[in-house]
């Protein structure tokens, strides 16, 4: 574990292995520990870099707890990732993003194809792209889930949920594993990371920035393409929708949908995920 100062915040980062860099970006309500079950196998051939995302960071910008979402847009998160790779001396990296980690991974790949060697996006729809939103940048083809609106209202969700974080975060973990749940220690770590009004406010700032993020993704996709090998992985509920979004702008795209798998793929079906990730990420690695 290291703490790395990047882009005005201090990110806690898990590092493992050696070889080509592999950056893993989690979503909500996760921490870097989302990847615990897959880091070991991936580290056999890669230098795995798994940071906490900005809303879990420390530092002047992170501690502001912006109720409007300022500073938590996809471009800022992509810049965090870029600066982190630079700080760790990685000049080329494979990038994997799930849920809220997918839009910054996508934007980083569009803006820095020289940096992103391979791209994997999972269980997210990209607001601003066709079929990716309803005009407000909130990502589902059939309208955003109920919590998108709840989280997006400045100051509301954190004032309601403070003191009830265990039930709320626990609900997402149960839903995201189709009721199978996650190990107790991991569940407690996620709940602890999102406990307190300021912690919740920073997490919900991501949702409040979705309109800005959607505009950033739309503008970037209008002038650039995904030129690196790209893989879209869906489960429940996104399925093949992300792959369909990426088809018009990706030069080399493969898609997979994991059956009987919840939204939190690295926790619910880590073996099935590794069966997809390992050969894809290692396809052009020479030993």
């Amino acid at each position: 574990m290291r703490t790395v100062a990047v882009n005005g915040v201090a990110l806690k980062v898990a590092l493992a292995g050696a070889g080509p860099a592999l950056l893993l970006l989690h979503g909500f309500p996760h921490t870097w520990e989302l990847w615990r079950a897959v880091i070991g196998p991936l580290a056999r051939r890669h230098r795995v870099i798994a940071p906490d995302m900005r809303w879990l960071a420390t530092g002047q910008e992170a501690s502001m707890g912006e109720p409007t979402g300022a500073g938590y847009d996809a471009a800022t998160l992509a810049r965090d990732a870029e600066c982190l790779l630079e700080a760790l001396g990685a000049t080329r990296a494979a990038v994997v993003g799930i849920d809220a980690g997918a839009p910054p991974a996508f934007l980083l790949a569009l803006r820095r194809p020289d940096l992103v060697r391979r791209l994997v996006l999972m269980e997210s729809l990209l607001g601003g792209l066709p079929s990716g939103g309803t005009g407000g940048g909130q990502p589902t083809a059939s309208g955003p889930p109920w919590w998108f609106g709840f989280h997006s209202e400045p100051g509301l969700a954190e004032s309601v949920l403070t003191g009830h974080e265990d039930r709320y975060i626990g609900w997402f973990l149960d839903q995201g594993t189709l009721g199978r749940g996650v190990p107790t220690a991991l569940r407690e770590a996620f709940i602890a990371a999102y406990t307190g009004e300021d912690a919740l406010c920073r997490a919900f700032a991501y949702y409040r920035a979705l309109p800005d993020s959607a505009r950033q993704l739309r503008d970037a996709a209008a002038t650039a393409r995904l030129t690196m090998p790209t893989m879209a992985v869906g489960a429940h509920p996104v399925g093949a929708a992300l792959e369909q979004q990426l088809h018009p702008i990706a030069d080399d795209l493969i898609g997979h949908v994991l059956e009987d798998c919840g939204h939190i793929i690295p926790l619910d079906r880590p073996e099935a995920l590794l069966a997809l990730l390992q050969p894809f990420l290692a396809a052009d690695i020479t030993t």
Side-chain angles (χ1 to χ4, degrees):
M1 299 301 304
R2 282 182 57 182
T3 299
V4 182
V6 298
N7 201 24
V9 296
L11 300 180
K12 184 167 68 173
V13 185
L15 301 168
L22 171 58
L23 178 66
L24 306 177
L25 302 179
H26 68 79
F28 171 86
H30 322 136
T31 71
W32 73 266
E33 294 190 70
L34 172 74
W35 310 104
R36 271 197 178 274
V38 299
I39 283 179
L42 292 173
R44 293 170 191 157
R45 300 196 71 178
H46 299 85
R47 182 191 185 197
V48 178
I49 302 167
D52 279 347
M53 297 292 279
R54 167 175 285 258
W55 54 85
L56 296 173
T58 59
Q60 182 176 358
E61 293 182 27
S63 64
M64 292 172 63
E66 290 285 356
T68 63
Y72 291 83
D73 54 277
T76 300
L77 297 172
R79 179 61 178 160
D80 288 350
E82 182 180 6
C83 291
L84 176 60
L85 291 172
E86 179 181 350
L88 295 175
T91 58
R92 292 277 283 169
V95 179
V96 178
I98 186 170
D99 187 72
F106 171 77
L107 192 58
L108 178 62
L110 284 179
R111 292 182 170 180
R112 290 293 311 275
D114 60 309
L115 177 62
V116 179
R117 179 178 66 85
R118 285 178 172 257
L119 177 67
V120 180
L121 302 178
M122 300 190 289
E123 274 298 288
S124 179
L125 287 177
L126 303 171
L129 272 63
S131 78
T134 58
Q138 297 167 324
T140 64
S142 59
W146 61 266
W147 60 86
F148 275 66
F150 180 44
H151 294 174
S152 294
E153 183 63 28
L156 175 62
E158 55 268 40
S159 66
V160 172
L161 295 171
T162 300
H164 305 283
E165 295 91 345
D166 56 342
R167 292 188 61 188
Y168 194 64
I169 301 305
W171 182 86
F172 281 95
L173 299 178
D174 291 338
Q175 290 291 311
T177 55
L178 302 184
R180 289 182 278 262
V182 303
T184 299
L186 194 53
R187 186 186 190 95
E188 291 177 351
F190 289 155
I191 291 169
Y194 290 91
T195 292
E197 185 171 358
D198 187 63
L200 290 171
C201 181
R202 285 186 275 119
F204 299 148
Y206 165 82
Y207 293 87
R208 293 160 190 169
L210 283 174
D212 288 338
S213 297
R215 184 178 64 255
Q216 293 162 357
L217 269 60
R218 182 175 61 249
D219 291 348
T223 58
R225 296 181 57 81
L226 296 174
T227 56
M228 68 290 298
T230 300
M231 182 164 70
V233 182
H236 176 80
V238 174
L242 175 59
E243 179 188 359
Q244 294 166 4
Q245 273 196 305
L246 295 174
H247 261 303
I249 56 172
D251 293 342
D252 182 358
L253 176 68
I254 186 171
H256 300 278
V257 176
L258 294 177
E259 301 297 332
D260 188 32
C261 182
H263 176 67
I264 314 175
I265 297 174
L267 293 181
D268 198 28
R269 297 284 307 280
E271 297 85 2
L273 177 59
L274 283 169
L276 298 178
L277 283 182
Q278 287 177 308
F280 177 77
L281 295 174
D284 54 359
I285 295 176
T286 58
T287 57

